[in-house]
Amino acid sequence: MQQLSLALELPDSKPVNPQWFQNLLSVLEVRQEPAWTDNFGKSLRQRLRQWGIAPVKTLSLFSGGGGLDIAFHDAGFEIVKMVELEAKYVQTLQKNAQLGKWLEGSEPICMDIRNYVPAPDLKVDFVIGGPPCQTFSAAGRRAAGVAGTTDSRGTLFQEYVRILKLLQPKGFLFENVYGITGANKGEAWQEIQEAFKEVGYSIYFRILDAADYGVPQHRERLFIVGVKQGKYLFPYPTHGFDSLAQQPYYSAAQAVEGSDTSDIEAGLGGRFGHLLDDIPPGLNYSFYTKEMGYPSPIFSWRSKFSDFLYKADPDVPVRTIKAQGGQYTGPFSWENRRFFIPELKRLQTIPDAYEVVGNRQVAIEQIGNSVPPQLGRILALSILDQVMDVDLPFDLAYLPPDKQLGFRQRKRKLTKTYLQKAQAAIIELSKQGKVKGLDASIYEEKREFVRFLSIDDFSWIEEPVANSVKIHLSCELDSSSWIIKANTNSNWDEPDKFSIDVYPSCGYDDWVLCTNSVKLCAKQLNTHVFTSLWKAFEEKLNEATGKADLVQLSGYYQYNARISGIMNFYCEEKIDLFWRVVQCVTRCIATSAQLKVKEFAEYWGVNEEDVVFYLQSLRAIGYEVRSHNTNPQIPLGEYLIPYAFPTLNPKSVQLRKVL
């Protein structure tokens, strides 16, 4: 792209050379090489001292592992105290506050902010920090809306405001996920803005992408800067398409080059670990979906979080590093392995010399929760310049208030690129014979076998464990039908007590089984047998197609279900109403939507006072049933049954929650 060569006249600022960031690097004598951000921080701190700029006394709240503290410390702020609740994170702060360490002179305080009262003699000019963001995060939105300030963690900003009111600093910086702006239909965001204004601050806010500021990671976060006097403009991006000099992004491969890889990490392992190898860099589990063109889909579209089996592309910044995640939570290296901790630090621009204390998971939590220091440094310099009125010996460029950044639009256009990558990879894998359709070996003569169903965690296993039920199974699978039978004994001469016919809901276009129907037959009207039939179907589905589970066959619950079941009874005795409820659920009646008790009663034809009992009974046979207790985003009095079949298993998050 052609570089701009003329100086720009921006509102409320003097003319700025488009090469302002390159000039800053020149002043600091920093070259953009691997780990250049470490040198940027060191040199910046040294030069500010040499220029006689007095440190700005600063209080850090919700300090975590210290990302913002590193940034502001390097940019001439003196972090006098760091308040953090988690003792395991405070150990990192204490280690790095020692003599000769990165945050030398800072004082970590392990305390709940609700109990923190600044000493009467504490005088600070600035406050930094961002409260825990889980209630505003993408995970919260995916669960069922956003809890926002209805969750106790979402009201921690009020403690931030309380401390601002007590200390009355010149300004503050507040960081959080951008989901905060949409929480509670925007009401939480209005509440937060008003709270800051009520204690005397004019606020300025923007959603920024860390990659635009020299971080090898796309990470969108909301930043609020509050000032007692004057105005504030956010700095121009230093890198990427919106930078004035069109400086290329700092790529993931450049960032990790030369980092410490002595602590060798094994491959992923587990049920899905092998799938990582064939995923093209930059893509995730969606590579194995119909929408990406995979001929024998393993997953359904949007049935997993976007970081599930996400493999980083070495030529561009990685996607957001998550603080929490499971075995298959990326980013993973393009070398088909987990990133080493030193590599993750580089991708977050945490200095190599900064010690992150704790085991791998604790370290990842601190890294993933941090504000990338390089982004923080640029923001800190802009605050030093505008809020603290420090005469810096170099120019900064500021975004006009109405200037729109383009990272969102560019992200929306990536789907086409991902599709092209996927199709090219599928062609290559097909040439190598790695892409296969339905496994024909699944078709077999009638076969009998035994499995055990754990009553405690719904595990489906070949050997008995404590509190498990022995289930006898019979399977006849061919291209015309799958017939799976279950019994608590081996007497197959008994008549069926019920059956479930499973069909595609929208025709056979999405039906991957290459058979006309699936019939699940039970020899007893028994809840364990019912659950076992679905478990056996899931097992055979995985063997035949590689699909991870029944959810991948049906699709994520927020879309129309692609399968439904018709349950028929053959018992002479009267059928209990609970089984009539189960019959409704298998037909997708009152599933996939948040409903009130009255609505469930109407759909199922039962009394309102019995609905909660039926919901608890469904939960007891393996159905995932959500409520306000399991997901605070769901209003009190409403419940959600995501799927028409039991989905609970030992790894289910919902298994550990109480309805």
Side-chain angles (χ1 to χ4, degrees), residues 618-651:
L618 288 168
R619 172 64 174 72
I621 64 173
Y623 277 92
E624 183 179 328
V625 184
R626 303 181 188 178
S627 67
H628 183 75
N629 283 350
T630 67
N631 297 73
Q633 302 86 352
I634 297 176
L636 279 169
E638 293 187 9
Y639 298 86
L640 168 68
I641 307 170
Y643 301 103
F645 41 84
T647 55
L648 290 178
N649 62 66
K651 294 185 178 180

Side-chain angles (χ1 to χ4, degrees), residues 376-537:
R377 290 180 186 115
I378 303 301
L379 291 173
L381 284 173
S382 72
I383 290 164
L384 205 62
D385 178 30
Q386 299 175 83
V387 182
M388 299 303 157
D389 294 323
V390 173
D391 186 17
L392 295 172
F394 47 79
D395 292 331
L396 301 175
Y398 294 114
L399 289 163
D402 58 352
K403 172 68 176 178
Q404 298 295 312
L405 299 177
F407 55 85
R408 287 283 177 82
Q409 290 80 1
R410 289 190 291 273
K411 187 165 70 172
R412 283 194 283 268
K413 294 177 181 178
L414 285 175
T415 302
K416 184 177 181 180
T417 301
Y418 293 152
L419 181 60
Q420 291 171 343
K421 270 192 172 186
Q423 290 175 341
I426 289 167
I427 291 172
E428 186 59 33
L429 291 172
S430 298
K431 291 178 182 177
Q432 299 172 21
K434 289 186 176 182
V435 178
K436 299 177 182 179
L438 183 75
D439 184 356
S441 68
I442 193 72
Y443 293 144
E444 55 193 21
E445 298 296 324
K446 179 178 178 180
R447 177 176 170 239
E448 296 179 10
F449 57 102
V450 169
R451 292 288 183 268
F452 293 87
L453 175 69
S454 168
I455 297 172
D456 297 326
D457 63 6
F458 304 103
S459 57
W460 184 243
I461 45 183
E462 296 183 9
E463 299 294 334
V465 295
N467 207 20
S468 62
V469 177
K470 185 177 184 179
I471 302 294
H472 295 262
L473 294 146
S474 169
C475 290
E476 294 180 70
L477 312 178
D478 59 42
S479 58
S480 62
S481 67
W482 285 15
I483 300 175
I484 302 174
K485 298 181 179 182
N487 200 349
T488 56
N489 58 58
S490 58
N491 184 3
W492 299 109
D493 295 330
E494 295 179 5
D496 293 341
K497 293 299 175 73
F498 71 83
S499 67
I500 304 169
D501 293 297
V502 182
Y503 293 103
S505 301
C506 305
Y508 283 84
D509 290 343
D510 287 332
W511 185 248
V512 298
L513 295 180
C514 297
T515 190
N516 294 330
S517 66
V518 175
K519 194 177 191 70
L520 311 178
C521 305
K523 296 299 181 179
Q524 292 112 350
L525 190 60
N526 178 293
T527 55
H528 301 318
V529 170
F530 174 85
T531 305
S532 297
L533 281 169
W534 288 106
K535 292 282 187 179
F537 177 26

Side-chain angles (χ1 to χ4, degrees), residues 298-326:
I298 296 172
F299 300 103
S300 281
W301 188 247
R302 294 182 178 172
S303 62
K304 301 286 186 183
F305 284 105
S306 61
D307 49 22
F308 190 88
L309 290 176
Y310 159 57
K311 182 191 291 185
D313 185 334
D315 299 326
V316 297
V318 301
R319 296 185 200 169
T320 305
I321 297 170
K322 300 295 195 301
Q324 301 283 349

Side-chain angles (χ1 to χ4, degrees), residues 157 165 214 244 329 422 475 481 571:
F157 84 92
K165 187 175 182 180
L244 295 176
T329 299
C475 290
S481 67
C571 302

Side-chain angles (χ1 to χ4, degrees), residues 127-374:
V127 172
I128 59 175
C133 60
Q134 290 91 336
T135 60
F136 304 111
S137 69
R141 296 195 296 278
R142 184 180 172 93
V146 180
T149 55
T150 63
D151 185 295
S152 60
R153 292 171 298 181
T155 57
L156 288 174
F157 84 92
Q158 295 170 349
E159 300 297 326
Y160 195 110
V161 173
R162 173 181 65 84
I163 292 170
L164 288 175
K165 187 175 182 180
L166 284 171
L167 296 176
Q168 293 293 309
K170 291 181 181 179
F172 69 86
L173 181 139
F174 179 98
E175 176 268 349
N176 218 293
V177 293
Y178 62 81
I180 196 172
T181 60
N184 308 127
K185 300 179 180 178
E187 294 176 9
W189 176 224
Q190 289 300 319
E191 181 183 346
I192 289 168
Q193 293 182 71
E194 289 302 319
F196 287 134
K197 291 176 182 177
E198 284 176 6
V199 291
Y201 292 90
S202 299
I203 62 171
Y204 302 85
F205 55 88
R206 266 188 184 268
I207 297 171
L208 302 176
D209 181 0
D212 285 350
Y213 294 87
V215 179
Q217 177 188 167
H218 288 293
R219 185 184 189 90
E220 296 174 32
R221 291 294 186 267
L222 172 73
F223 290 89
I224 304 172
V225 174
V227 296
K228 279 283 187 183
Q229 296 178 340
K231 297 180 180 179
Y232 175 79
L233 293 172
F234 282 87
Y236 245 100
T238 61
H239 292 69
F241 298 96
D242 287 317
S243 65
L244 295 176
Q246 296 293 285
Q247 175 68 38
Y249 286 127
Y250 184 24
S251 74
Q254 289 174 310
V256 303
E257 182 182 336
S259 62
D260 181 8
T261 57
S262 59
D263 183 17
I264 301 299
E265 289 284 339
L268 295 193
R271 184 175 177 185
F272 304 122
H274 67 285
L275 296 177
L276 183 67
D277 292 357
D278 292 337
I279 295 176
L283 273 66
N284 58 10
Y285 79 94
S286 65
F287 173 65
Y288 294 104
T289 64
K290 173 191 171 186
E291 286 74 8
M292 282 292 177
Y294 201 77
S296 51
I298 296 172
F299 300 103
S300 281
W301 188 247
R302 294 182 178 172
S303 62
K304 301 286 186 183
F305 284 105
S306 61
D307 49 22
F308 190 88
L309 290 176
Y310 159 57
K311 182 191 291 185
D313 185 334
D315 299 326
V316 297
V318 301
R319 296 185 200 169
T320 305
I321 297 170
K322 300 295 195 301
Q324 301 283 349
Q327 181 179 2
Y328 305 108
T329 299
F332 295 106
S333 170
W334 46 90
E335 296 178 353
N336 298 322
R337 58 169 174 80
R338 292 181 175 86
F339 278 115
F340 307 112
I341 293 298
E343 291 176 318
L344 291 173
K345 286 171 62 180
R346 289 275 188 94
L347 295 171
Q348 195 80 353
T349 65
I350 293 174
D352 287 351
Y354 190 85
E355 298 183 50
V356 181
V357 179
N359 62 27
R360 178 179 173 85
Q361 185 52 51
V362 172
I364 290 174
E365 286 177 23
Q366 295 175 77
I367 294 168
N369 278 327
S370 294
V371 174
Q374 186 57 26

